[in-house]
Amino acid sequence: MTNFLTGLGEAWSLAKPYFGSQERWAAFVLLGAVIGLNLLLVGLNVVLTYWNNDFFNAIQVYDQRTVVDLLYYPLLTIKGARYPMPGFAELVVVYILIAVYAFYLNQMLQIKWRQWLTTHYVENWLSERAYYNISLSQSRSTVIDNPDQRISEDLRDFTANSLSLGMDFITNVVTLFSFVFVLYVISGSVKLLGITIPGYMVWVAILYSAVGTLFTQLIGRKLVPLAFNQQRLEADFRYSLVRVRENPEAIALYRGEADEQATLGERFQAVRDNFWAIMRRTKLLNFFTIGFTQIANIFPLVVILPRYFAKAIGLGGLSQIPMVFGQVQGALSWFVTSYPNLVTWRATVSRLYGFREAVAAARSAAAAGPQVGAPGAAFKLNNLTLTLPDGRCLLDHASLTLRAGEPVILTGASGAGKSTLFRAIAGIWPFGHGSITPPKGSLLFLPQKPYFPLGSLKRTVTYPGVEQDVADDAVRTALADVGLEHLAARLGESENWSLILSGGEQQRLAIARALLAKPDWLFLDEAISALDSAAAGKIQAVLREKLPTTTIVAISHHGGITPGHRHLALSGGVLAEVAA
């Protein structure tokens, strides 16, 4: 129970921002309408129990006219008084309308809430490089698995289950208070051990539900961690399938099908094993809950039969009391009947809460590490130290000034830390200390492996700019400049370009981005490493020709220093200038 109470606190912290946002009034109106309609359904259920009493009493005395009147023009009898009421047919129509619109408005609130949460979570995940820092934090044993699933599926399940369980709980509370007094009055009293117990069916319902709740918790409490693990394992398996889809060529070239099959088999085996554990625990829970529900159908009838045989109540009372008892007992047993849904909801809340806290920590981490100051006339590293997440030092107290218009090439052995320095220069590396003064003007960073967004080829070339802001002819010219003329006619096509284009073509396309962007500073991290020497030379010539005012800082694993470039070398944590 402590776990569920903790879950309630976490769930409220997840829901509170939406109900305090600019959309709060629309949300409260929808929520109030849904609650109000559900309460009307409870009221109709109360009315129908009294109608049921009159109907069966009329049947008992073979009063055909009253039966017909009750179907079309009934008079409701409460404590001997007669009250006109709508006919059964009218009640059914009203009930259907209320039930349909209660569900419809519930769905409307659900999608509005989910839309707000999705926008909010995506914004926080992407801002201040939280998504990037989370990926780094996994190497520090802070595992936030499958953020895509938490945003797409967990938010969907959280809104749907929170509203469903919340409405169900409110309805059951109102049902309890609506029917418990009815049950108290109509069940009469009974003597037990010489003690007269008024409204005894109420106490029977409370005792029956309390026993059911206790045993349900004892049997089902292990389902919460199992449900949490199932969501994680399912997402891991799906991610492995996506990896195969995104890397078919590499897998085929390596003949890695057997290894991929083994990996997929292992991950699905984990899914299967955990699901079997859920099945076994659910089987035990179902033995109890299904039996508990079935017994509840006959239990009140057995308890009330002695009064019927004693002619203390009629057939109408015999039919009404089990109905009312069922409503009271069902409301009291809400925890029992809702336990599987509560387990799923608790696991979802835990995953979302953990994700939100990880995003907050990751955004805070963006403020750590080397500090990026205000732009200056030149690019400067000030006493900069860079480390890996495990603390290993890659750059030790380096200071450097790069002036605009001065082309630079940085070399170093593989693993020396060149790409880490590239990330630090871009302002995204959170491990280390010192400061960086970026230059004034626009900066563009091209990594060794380009990123291709979803969409058309034109969007891919103009990324991260807005494709509508760039003329098609300008894009075609840039493609021709880097040797991709054959793609000029395909600007409007949407494909998985990272699979269609070769490694060299992908790097050429990234250079085309730079030609379109015309940055003041261009940083290249092995950005033409997939090209042969001749092709690389042509690309360098194109950059010099098309971007004459751009300061180019290139990181290279090899030598091949272009004359006129300032040469820096990184080795053993020391950044030093190499004489020409």
Side-chain angles (χ1 to χ4, degrees), residues 144-151 232 235-236 238-239 351:
I144 295 297
D145 58 275
N146 307 294
D148 53 310
Q149 185 208 30
R150 302 195 187 210
I151 292 175
R232 176 180 60 83
D236 288 344
R238 184 176 63 249
Y239 178 71
R351 287 175 57 79

Side-chain angles (χ1 to χ4, degrees), residues 521-534:
W521 289 72
L522 177 62
F523 296 85
L524 309 173
D525 182 15
E526 302 278 0
I528 53 176
S529 60
L531 304 179
D532 58 64
S533 299

Side-chain angles (χ1 to χ4, degrees), residues 222-234 237 266-284 286 340 343-344:
K222 292 185 179 180
L223 280 172
V224 174
L226 288 173
F228 183 97
N229 286 335
Q230 189 67 24
Q231 291 180 344
R232 176 180 60 83
L233 294 171
E234 294 279 6
F237 177 61
E266 289 173 2
R267 294 212 165 185
F268 186 75
Q269 182 67 30
V271 171
R272 175 187 174 277
D273 291 345
N274 195 77
F275 191 73
W276 270 103
I278 291 176
M279 288 171 56
R280 288 189 291 268
R281 181 55 54 172
T282 304
K283 179 180 68 174
L284 294 176
N286 284 342
V343 167
T344 302

Side-chain angles (χ1 to χ4, degrees), residues 16 23 82 152 163 232 259 319 321 333 460 462-463 465 469 504 515 542 546 558 569 575:
K16 184 179 178 180
E23 298 184 18
R82 306 280 286 176
S152 64
L163 286 174
R232 176 180 60 83
D259 183 77
S319 65
I321 289 175
S333 302
T460 301
T462 57
Y463 182 84
D469 294 343
L515 298 181
V542 167
K546 301 295 183 180
H558 305 288
L575 181 63

